[in-house]
Amino acid sequence: GGETRTAGVRGDGMPWRIGIHPPAAGLELEFVVTPGDAAVATSCDYRNFYMLGDRRISHTIYPRDAQTTANGLISDSDIAPDAMQADALANALMVMGPETGAAFATENGIAALMIERTEHGSRAIMSPGFERYRAVD
């Protein structure tokens, strides 16, 4: 799956660093985070999907109509105290979509990184809570 839990520090005393893979194959890591004693989970529509004509059918289902989500969100990565909570948030925000999900994350202090499809590629939406986990080189 897309969940990782870290605790403590590496053997060399440095913090654990987790890379969040970009949605396009062959690209470098776009974001690296240092979660500390926390978990990182990502939900996306670019690993488990198939195309039905021009429609992307992913494994994330919108509960109101039991249809695959088609809200423009490529992925959502969340940092939370444990992997179960991070995974639940990642799936919930994927269903909410970029606007509603970003507002929900901000209002609730959730550390979230959302990547949205645009007509020119993609754009990252970071909640204020996510910024504090970004690794600084």
Side-chain angles (χ1 to χ4, degrees):
E3 303 83 32
T4 301
R5 170 74 163 89
T6 59
V9 294
R10 302 181 327 196
D12 62 3
M14 298 299 294
W16 292 105
R17 295 166 57 96
I18 305 297
I20 298 175
H21 196 269
L27 296 178
E28 296 297 319
L29 293 175
E30 289 184 352
F31 297 93
V32 177
V33 295
T34 54
D37 293 331
V40 180
T42 299
S43 183
C44 66
D45 76 351
Y46 60 91
R47 296 264 186 226
N48 288 330
F49 76 95
Y50 67 94
M51 297 301 292
L52 183 60
D54 62 351
R55 186 170 175 220
R56 178 181 297 267
I57 308 295
S58 76
H59 69 288
T60 305
I61 304 298
Y62 189 66
R64 287 191 183 144
D65 61 11
Q67 297 295 311
T68 188
T69 55
N71 56 29
L73 202 54
I74 300 171
S75 71
D76 175 66
S77 299
D78 297 285
I79 301 172
D82 58 67
M84 185 166 46
Q85 184 177 350
D87 187 48
L89 288 167
N91 283 289
L93 294 179
M94 274 297 289
V95 169
M96 289 181 199
E99 294 83 22
T100 303
F104 182 84
T106 298
E107 290 166 11
N108 292 283
I110 297 166
L113 166 67
M114 296 187 233
I115 301 178
E116 175 184 26
R117 271 188 192 83
T118 68
E119 59 186 66
H120 302 294
S122 62
R123 81 175 176 113
I125 304 166
M126 276 180 273
S127 71
F130 185 84
E131 284 287 343
R132 72 184 195 114
Y133 293 102
R134 296 238 5 226
V136 178
D137 287 325

